[in-house]
Amino acid sequence: MDESNARKLICEIGRLLYDRSYVVSSDGNVSIRLDEDRVLATPTMTCKGRMSEDSLAVTDMEGKPLTDKKASSELAMHLLIYKERPDIKAVCHAHPPHGTAFAVAGLAIDKPILSEVILTLGCVPLTDYGTPSTNELTEAMRPFVKHHNALLMANHGAVAYGEDLWQAFDRLETLEHTAKIAILAKTLGGANDLPKDAIEKLINIREKAGYLTASARCQACGYLHESEISCGVSAASNGAKVSFTREELIELLSQAANLS
Ligand SMILES: [Zn+2]
């Protein structure tokens, strides 16, 4: 995306985040990866509902400013995601109230309660608390970035990312909507989980349709481990990729242990 359109889009998404109460005051931050070496990001200490296109900051991949505008202090979170996931071109961080309530209560959004969420987002893990804008926060997030497209940060908020900014925003919105439904269902006596076979069908559909790749099988959600869907463990053998189910791998490891 060219820089001028990226500037317009960040301001549009900023207004949406503010109008939908996903952020208040100067909360949250949004960025787009302009190319290999540059990121366009929301400025520090600015309400996302009233940004101007020329207020946005441009940095390199280490966060060094390339113009006179200063990026959000939470940019390190975005840079971590771009480094871990070359497929990701936009990041959206906010404090949406229902999703953040999960993060404050110490809960992940990882129950198999909504078919379309399993299809399009998968589950959202809760990462350990880390002081905002420090290495603590990025190190807590790092293990989860590869297989998930949205994360909750304990006692802080949520971040979602995608191939473009609309996809990142949509994922954030799905996270928030799911959290809201889960809270409402709880007040009605509790949500019913989808059964194992229904989950397996959904995982197969989402991979065939290209909504999520097989990498999402490795997400940190209990229902994947209880179903027949397993995280493929790849091993290089003469250049060929071999994958095992969790059970096969345990069997191989125990055989190896018996031999030694
Ligand atoms: Zn924040």
Side-chain angles (χ1 to χ4, degrees), residues 74 93 95 156:
E74 289 188 295
H93 162 57
H95 307 157
H156 182 168

Side-chain angles (χ1 to χ4, degrees), residues 23 26-29 72 74 77 93-95 132-133 137 153 156-158:
V23 291
S26 60
D27 292 352
N29 29 79
S72 160
E74 289 188 295
M77 174 199 307
H93 162 57
H95 307 157
S133 66
L137 181 70
M153 290 164 277
H156 182 168

